């Protein structure tokens, strides 16, 4: 009789253990479903077990806290984007007025010293204008979903044209750009966006380089645009953050917001591309990868 009772207890215990395992699998299934389908459905439990019920309640509380944190983060990000957009618009009006008054002053009879001071003011005004344009472009990219005009683009020709158009600025800053001769490389991309990427890479060189810049185009799994140049403050540059908004290794932050490379990253991402950077032996190499098309 005792053997029969023990046998029945063992069978009941096995059934109970199997049922608990089924409930644990069910909890895992519900958690996986929440992650894949991004639902807010709380975790439910069919078995009446105090420990499992406590576990489920704690999981639901944790999920609720996480959901609130995510919502707050999205809200802060939205407010930040709106702030950037408003700032970029608000700055344009007084800047236009400043440029207008500077042009009027040029027509006046000024002493040599006054002309020199006006030229310095105009230089800083132009720098401020570039910063505002960066703010405006960045706010536009993060607040909208621009319509892409994806087409077959001759990347080699486009890079050459952008560099040729930037020769006066490069010479003014005593920069020499070396570009390797390469066969025509074609990409499937938005031509205007690719042009803006190249222009931002050139502008980045103007701001941070004081020596030669090497430009290479490579055809691998993707089409790659590479801008590389030696840097003096190599130890201060974090290549893992170089494309983050507002990151800059320039401690003075004189005319640099760190938005230029952030814009490059956003543009590349919108076209299905990617960016990367490496720093080795004092040589910074910035690369943009775009979808390659066969010639």
């Amino acid at each position: 009789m005792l053997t029969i009772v023990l046998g029945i207890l063992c069978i009941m215990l096995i059934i109970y253990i199997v049922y608990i395992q089924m409930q644990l699998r069910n909890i895992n299934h519900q958690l996986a479903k929440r992650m894949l389908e991004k639902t807010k459905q709380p975790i439910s439990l069919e078995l009446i077990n105090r420990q499992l019920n406590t576990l489920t309640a704690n999981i639901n509380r944790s999920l609720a806290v996480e959901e609130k944190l995510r919502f707050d983060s999205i809200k802060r990000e939205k407010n930040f984007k709106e702030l950037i957009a408003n700032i970029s618009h608000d700055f344009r009006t007084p800047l236009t007025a400043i440029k207008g008054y500077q042009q009027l002053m040029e027509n006046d009879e000024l002493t040599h010293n006054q002309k020199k001071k006006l030229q310095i003011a105009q230089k800083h005004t132009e720098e401020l204008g570039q910063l505002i344009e960066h703010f405006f472009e960045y706010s536009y990219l993060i607040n909208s979903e621009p319509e892409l005009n994806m087409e077959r683009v001759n990347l080699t020709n486009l890079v050459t044209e952008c560099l040729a158009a930037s020769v006066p600025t490069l010479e003014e800053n005593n920069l020499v750009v070396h570009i390797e001769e390469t066969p025509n490389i074609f990409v499937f991309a938005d031509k205007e966006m690719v042009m803006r990427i190249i222009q931002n890479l050139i502008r980045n060189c103007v701001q941070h380089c004081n020596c030669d810049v090497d430009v290479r185009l490579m055809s691998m799994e993707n089409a790659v645009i590479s801008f590389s140049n030696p840097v003096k403050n190599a130890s201060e540059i974090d290549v893992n953050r170089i494309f983050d908004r507002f990151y800059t290794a320039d401690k003075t932050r004189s005319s640099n917001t760190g938005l230029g490379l952030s814009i490059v990253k956003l543009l590349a991402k919108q076209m299905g591309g990617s960016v990367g950077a490496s720093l080795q032996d004092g040589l910074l190499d910035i690369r943009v990868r775009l979808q390659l098309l066969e010639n």
Side-chain angles (χ1 to χ4, degrees):
M1 188 67 180
L2 182 60
T3 303
I4 294 174
V5 172
L6 288 175
I8 293 172
L9 289 175
C10 287
I11 292 172
M12 293 176 62
L13 182 60
I14 291 172
I15 294 174
Y16 185 71
I17 293 173
V18 170
Y19 197 49
I20 288 178
Q21 289 179 332
M22 290 174 60
Q23 290 298 305
L24 291 173
R25 280 197 298 269
N26 185 34
I27 291 174
N28 287 327
H29 174 73
Q30 291 180 72
L31 288 172
K33 185 177 180 180
R34 277 182 62 102
M35 289 186 291
L36 290 174
E37 300 180 5
K38 297 181 179 180
T39 66
K40 299 180 181 179
Q41 184 70 29
I43 305 302
S44 60
L45 192 65
E46 298 177 1
L47 181 66
I48 300 176
N49 179 282
R50 186 164 61 181
Q51 295 301 322
L52 280 179
N53 287 338
T54 302
L55 173 63
T56 303
N58 288 333
I59 290 175
N60 285 329
R61 277 194 290 268
S62 298
L63 292 174
V65 171
E66 180 185 355
E67 183 65 26
K68 185 178 184 303
L69 290 174
R70 188 180 70 85
F71 177 78
D72 291 342
S73 177
I74 293 173
K75 186 177 180 181
R76 284 194 299 270
E77 182 72 12
K78 182 181 178 181
N79 291 337
F80 175 80
K81 291 177 180 180
E82 292 176 352
L83 175 64
I84 294 296
N86 292 335
I87 289 175
S88 61
H89 279 90
D90 292 344
F91 277 178
R92 280 184 161 187
T93 301
L95 182 65
T96 301
I98 292 171
K99 288 183 176 180
Y101 279 108
Q102 287 177 342
Q103 290 173 357
L104 290 174
M105 291 178 65
E106 282 183 319
N107 298 327
D108 294 339
E109 293 184 3
L110 302 176
T111 65
H112 175 72
N113 190 38
Q114 288 173 332
K115 287 182 179 180
K116 187 176 180 180
K117 291 179 179 179
L118 177 59
Q119 289 173 353
I120 294 173
Q122 287 175 325
K123 179 183 177 182
H124 287 293
T125 302
E126 287 301 319
E127 290 179 351
L128 179 59
Q130 291 179 4
L131 295 180
I132 291 174
E133 287 303 316
H134 266 155
F135 269 108
F136 182 78
E137 185 175 10
Y138 185 78
S139 64
Y140 170 76
L141 289 173
I142 62 178
N143 279 296
S144 63
E145 295 181 2
E147 294 183 6
L148 302 182
N149 181 24
M150 303 293 283
E151 58 182 330
R152 189 171 186 260
V153 178
N154 189 323
L155 184 62
T156 306
N157 287 349
L158 194 58
V159 170
T160 303
E161 291 170 7
C162 290
L163 287 172
S166 302
V167 166
T169 303
L170 294 169
E171 289 181 346
E172 183 181 339
N173 289 272
N174 299 317
L175 291 177
V176 178
V177 175
H178 305 282
I179 181 169
E180 293 185 3
E181 292 188 9
T182 181
N184 286 334
I185 296 177
F186 292 88
V187 294
F188 184 63
D190 184 299
K191 186 176 180 179
E192 292 297 324
M193 284 189 170
V194 177
M195 187 179 299
R196 285 155 66 189
I197 285 175
I198 300 167
Q199 291 170 345
N200 272 310
L201 290 174
I202 295 173
R203 192 178 296 122
N204 184 70
C205 291
V206 171
Q207 288 181 337
H208 300 289
C209 302
N210 55 3
C211 51
D212 293 359
V213 179
D214 292 320
V215 178
R216 290 180 295 163
L217 297 177
M218 293 166 282
S219 175
M220 297 184 284
E221 291 184 2
N222 305 103
V224 179
I225 309 171
S226 168
F227 275 65
S228 60
N229 60 274
V231 290
K232 290 184 178 180
N233 56 338
S235 60
E236 298 177 2
I237 297 176
D238 185 353
V239 292
N240 296 318
R241 296 182 56 210
I242 202 169
F243 294 99
D244 293 351
R245 67 187 182 198
F246 302 126
Y247 170 76
T248 172
D250 181 8
K251 302 304 181 183
T252 63
R253 302 182 70 91
S254 55
S255 61
N256 176 30
T257 60
L259 284 176
L261 293 181
S262 297
I263 292 172
V264 169
K265 180 180 178 180
L266 282 171
L267 290 170
K269 186 177 179 181
Q270 287 178 350
M271 292 185 290
S274 62
V275 296
S278 62
L279 182 60
Q280 187 173 7
D281 298 328
L283 185 68
L284 177 64
D285 186 9
I286 296 174
R287 297 190 175 192
V288 179
R289 299 173 182 84
L290 299 173
Q291 185 176 342
L292 178 67
L293 282 182
E294 297 297 332
N295 295 348

